[in-house]
Each structure stands twice: as structure tokens, then as C-alpha cells.
Amino acid sequence: MARSVRRPRTKTLALGTAAAVLTTASLAGPFTERSEAGGHIDAPSQLEDSPTDLTDVYAFTSPDDEDKVTFIANVRPFQLPGTPDKALADYPFANGARYEIHTDADGDGAPDISYRWTFSEDDHRPFGAGPKVGPTPVRSLDDASLRVRQTYTLERVIHEGGSERTEKLVDGVAAPTNVGRPLMPDYPALRREAIEELPGGGKALAGQSAESFKANTQAFGLYTVGTAGPVPQWGPDATPLAALNVNSLVIQVPKKQVALAGDVDRNPVVGVWSSVSRPGADLSRSLSAQAPSYRQVSRQGTPHVAFALFGTTVGLYRPGGPEDRLQLRTPADDPAAKEFQDAALDPVPPRRMDRANAGYTRPKAPREDIQALLMKGIGKDNGSDFGYDLNTHTLNQDADPARMVLAEELRINLTTPVSPSPKAEGVVAGDKQGFPNGRRINDNADNALIRMLAGEPRRGDGSSLVPEPVLDLQPQDAKNTFPYLNPPHGL
């Protein structure tokens, strides 16, 4: 939906102070080797910079248009349901930061196509202060009662031989924070208005959504202490995430746009990850001599990769450790990260599960199956243990195997048919369209990861380690039409 996007105007001292705080946060990451982000709480430092905290990445064939693929990056977790008091405070994306979803078609760990959102603010409050919404209900994105709007530019970045070529796709308006029914009586209508049609086919949406992550609270204990918890073999799997919101970037594009050489049949596999970069500067030298630069502060591909390899979370980490360093790297740099590569061949959680569960013996290292899962994809002869080819880059006929590297990416085979009866645990449960062949919104990635860490499909049986809960309260299932994610919770 095309519209005229009002560009931001000069802000007051209050907004300038906020910008200074954000700049300080951004500089902390690039110049102290600390990250401020990660999947929900995958990276320990993420709590310091919520707007850039990537939580989940999804990649799946669009069920309502199988010639297209949908990518989703969720960011800024733990948002409370909207109420009228949110008229004074909301959950915006970080203005000036670059939010990107990257695709790698040749397996070298470097992006070939990236989709980049850059946000700014359109503030029409007197002196830039006061409520952001109201006093009357908001009935459209152009309503005067929506006194602060977040706008964005969405670009497609083509990476060629070390250079970038950028094409602007659309200027859009983000769906606002839901502040509840009194001020936003028809939030779904606002969200539909925020959907943008893209040139060449496809759609995009930026805005708030209901949290979609299917969190297994018992599997979390297996990662960190080796046993399902809090009480082994019993307990509700009721996640508080089911009642919370996140910010979401959703883009649907033709599959040929991301396939190597534009040929989906010859080159069906792409690797996917997301990153957030903040503007920064080197304060040790003159600012006048510096071109604008961006430093990556967040990265997300495979869900809970830090849990799966290191078994760490808040309270169980080393600040600036391997979880944080992962956030600063691109996949192309993963081969040089020895601690990360070593952990893929001997991950920590299976050792804890071995000690904590009588009658269970972990598979012996080296775990070529976990290395393949995270860094190669599922292939018949690459150590994945599944016994068939599914989503390894070696399936791409026009890719050079000599350039492929061991890089953590969420890999998807674009030719895998949409499953008529999807199973939440995906490939390990026999559903080849599910995780880790990409990731659908309704997939339970935690259960699948635990089962594979325990040795499935060929080195052991992990299903007995994850008990059936007496109550399973999860986020509402996703829809089958764009933008798939459910609207945010509001009161």
C-alpha cells in the first residue's frame, strides 16, 4: 500500500538525550567486544539493549503462495500487553539502526541478498513531549491521534564481489505499539494498513506482533542443568511468553529472488540469518574524517544455538564469552572461531543430560551430526545422520563446494513441499518441511534440538528426556496468510 511518508523533523533536547543514550549503548558493543543482543536470553548481554535484541528467525515456504518464501525476524522481546498507559511509552525499533535479514545461496557464509530496514521517527507532538497516542481513538496510520509514527525505508542489498548494490523497495510506516482497545479499537485494521506491496512481487510488514516462540520450559532445564524441570517427568509447560509481544519484520519474496542464479530447481538451498547494526564511530580519531559506519551488535540464525552448544543463559555465562562473540561475527567468520567449532563437536548439554538422567548415555564425541546440523545442513554423506539429502548447500548445482565453509545459518530447501500435516518437532519427527529445514512459526525448535543433541535419529533416543506436560499453554498458532504472526495482545 503506497503512501506518502513524512520524514522526521528536528527533535527537542529530550529526544537528543535519548539518542545520546542509544549511541552510548551502540558504542559499547563495537569497541569493548561486547554484544547487547541474542535470542530471548541466548546472549548474556542482550538485556542492555532491548531494541536490538533479536529473538527468533523464521524461514518457510509461504503457505498461501508456494512460489514465494517468507522470512521473519523478531526483535525486542518481553513486551507487556498494550494498555492505555502505553500512550506515553511504546516499544519502537531503534531509530537509525539497520535491521537486516540475509540470505546465502552459495554456502560461503557471506550474504548474497540482504533485506535492510532503517527506521526513523515522525513526531508531531508540540516540543516533542507528551502522549504518543490520543486523545481520540486511532483509526488509521494517518490519524492525527497517532502523534508519533515510526517510518522506515526497506532496501534490497545485492552483494557482488565484495561490493554492495542497493535497491530501495519501499518507504513504509510501521504498525504502532498496541495501546489497548480504548485508543486503538481496531488494531488489526491498522496492521493491515501497514502491509506494503513490494515491486516484483511479495509483501512486507514491520510492527508489533504477539510472541510466537513455542518455548518448552522443561527442555530449558535440559540445556542448563541436564534434567527436565523444574520437576522431572511432571509439570505444566506454561510459558509466560504466550501473553507477551515482540516487534517483527516480515518479508515475503519470490523464491527465485534469493536462489543462486535465480534458479530454484537447480539451486534450492539458501542459508538465512538476521543481524542488527547500530551507527558508530571511532572516538580515537577525528569524526570529520570518518564516513558513516555501522557495527553489528546482534545476530540470530538457528534458535537457541548458544543453549545447544554451551548450555548457558543469564546467570550461567562469562561476560564477553563465546555467546557474546557470536553476536559480533558474520557466518563467514565462524570457521576461525575455534571455541565455537569445538563446541559443535562436543556440546555441553549432552554431558549434563548424561550426568543427570539415570539410564541415559550421551553419544560420544566428536558429534559430526551436530556440526552438520548447525554448520552444513542435512546431507546424506556429511555426518548429519539422517541418511538423506535435504538442505545442505552441496545440493546447489551452480555452487562451488571449495568455497563452502562451516558457518552457522538457518538453511532451507525452497523446493520442499508444504506439509499437509505439519509436525511441531519437524524433521526429527518425520516432517521434512519443518525445523531445521528452515523454521516455521509453529515449530517447537527446543524439543527438536534436545532430541538431536541426545543423538536422534541414529545415535540415541531423546524423546524420553522431554516429558509430556500436564498442561501445554503456548502462543496461539500462526495463521496461513500473510503476515502469519498474530496481532499483538492489548487490553
Side-chain angles (χ1 to χ4, degrees):
M1 179 181 300
R3 65 171 56 83
S4 173
V5 178
R6 300 191 293 268
R7 308 313 301 168
R9 53 190 200 181
T10 303
K11 303 296 187 292
T12 63
L13 177 61
L15 291 178
T17 301
V21 171
L22 293 177
T23 300
T24 301
S26 72
L27 292 175
F31 292 100
T32 65
E33 290 301 305
R34 290 190 66 192
S35 157
E36 287 88 11
H40 286 100
I41 48 176
D42 273 17
S45 301
Q46 63 84 25
L47 297 175
E48 298 176 12
D49 193 5
S50 180
T52 68
D53 176 15
L54 284 165
T55 67
D56 291 287
V57 173
Y58 301 92
F60 54 91
T61 290
S62 306
D64 50 344
D65 189 344
E66 295 191 30
D67 289 329
K68 295 185 174 65
V69 60
T70 295
F71 305 122
I72 299 175
N74 282 348
V75 68
R76 194 163 192 168
F78 311 126
Q79 300 177 20
L80 296 175
T83 59
D85 64 355
K86 295 291 194 310
L88 287 168
D90 59 0
Y91 300 102
F93 296 90
N95 290 320
R98 286 178 171 175
Y99 294 79
E100 296 177 289
I101 295 176
H102 309 279
T103 64
D104 170 17
D106 55 12
D108 64 355
D112 297 309
I113 302 290
S114 300
Y115 298 95
R116 176 185 294 165
W117 288 258
T118 307
F119 289 88
S120 55
E121 198 168 69
D122 188 9
D123 191 344
H124 289 263
R125 297 173 297 172
F127 306 106
K132 295 185 175 183
V133 181
T136 59
V138 175
R139 303 191 183 279
S140 78
L141 296 181
D142 294 318
D143 198 309
S145 286
L146 187 58
R147 304 170 77 186
V148 179
R149 302 188 312 169
Q150 195 161 43
T151 61
Y152 66 86
T153 296
L154 172 59
E155 301 168 298
R156 178 169 55 239
V157 184
I158 299 94
H159 303 266
E160 298 173 325
S163 63
E164 294 183 359
R165 177 165 54 87
T166 302
E167 302 172 348
K168 186 169 82 169
L169 296 178
V170 71
D171 286 325
V173 177
T177 297
N178 186 352
V179 297
R181 292 179 182 273
L183 288 174
M184 292 182 177
D186 189 357
Y187 188 90
L190 297 177
R191 196 184 195 217
R192 289 192 296 272
E193 188 181 352
I195 295 174
E196 297 286 349
E197 300 287 337
L198 301 181
K203 301 175 183 178
L205 172 71
Q208 195 183 42
S209 299
E211 173 64 79
S212 56
F213 179 58
K214 308 285 188 178
N216 187 326
T217 55
Q218 300 196 80
F220 180 83
L222 289 162
Y223 287 123
T224 56
V225 297
T227 185
V231 181
Q233 306 305 317
W234 183 89
D237 196 10
T239 169
L241 295 178
L244 301 179
N245 298 324
V246 293
N247 286 355
S248 300
L249 300 168
V250 189
I251 186 166
Q252 180 195 80
V253 297
K255 290 179 176 179
K256 63 183 180 180
Q257 193 174 104
V258 295
L260 185 63
D263 192 327
V264 177
D265 293 326
R266 282 182 57 85
N267 305 299
V269 176
V270 295
V272 183
W273 72 98
S274 184
S275 68
V276 183
S277 301
R278 281 194 178 276
D282 185 351
L283 301 183
S284 66
R285 57 194 182 91
S286 171
L287 297 178
S288 63
Q290 296 183 47
S293 63
Y294 288 81
R295 303 298 178 93
Q296 180 175 303
V297 297
S298 181
R299 167 185 166 188
Q300 183 70 203
T302 304
H304 279 176
V305 65
F307 287 175
L309 295 187
F310 305 109
T312 53
T313 184
V314 173
L316 296 172
Y317 70 93
R318 186 171 74 251
E323 305 93 336
D324 282 351
R325 290 195 291 272
L326 171 65
Q327 302 298 310
L328 304 179
R329 293 197 305 268
T330 65
D333 296 322
D334 285 344
K338 185 177 186 302
E339 191 171 13
F340 184 71
Q341 296 289 342
D342 289 348
L345 291 171
D346 189 12
V348 171
R351 287 186 248 149
R352 293 176 176 165
M353 291 186 279
D354 194 347
R355 291 194 299 266
N357 293 274
Y360 168 75
T361 302
R362 67 184 173 97
K364 293 181 180 180
R367 295 292 303 274
E368 294 93 346
D369 56 327
I370 301 303
Q371 181 190 66
L373 167 70
L374 299 177
M375 302 182 189
K376 297 180 182 178
I378 294 173
K380 183 186 298 183
D381 301 317
N382 72 352
S384 70
D385 280 358
F386 280 86
Y388 51 80
D389 291 323
L390 182 61
N391 64 343
T392 173
H393 275 100
T394 56
L395 292 174
N396 291 350
Q397 298 177 50
D398 296 323
D400 180 0
R403 297 184 62 228
M404 296 179 188
V405 298
L406 291 173
E408 188 277 305
E409 300 174 354
L410 183 64
R411 292 170 172 83
I412 178 173
N413 186 319
L414 300 173
T415 62
T416 304
V418 171
S419 175
S421 301
K423 297 180 180 179
E425 294 182 7
V427 175
V428 77
D431 180 359
K432 291 185 178 180
Q433 198 223 347
F435 175 80
N437 184 15
R439 183 185 177 194
R440 300 165 302 195
I441 301 169
N442 295 332
D443 285 346
N444 189 323
D446 268 343
N447 277 15
L449 271 174
I450 287 293
R451 291 178 62 176
M452 287 182 278
L453 285 167
E456 292 194 48
R458 295 189 178 185
R459 304 190 189 198
D461 181 4
S463 60
S464 62
L465 296 174
V466 186
E468 289 293 326
V470 296
L471 173 66
D472 194 10
L473 178 61
Q474 295 288 352
Q476 183 180 356
D477 281 348
K479 303 296 187 290
N480 286 324
T481 56
F482 189 91
Y484 313 109
L485 298 169
N486 289 297
H489 303 291
L491 302 177

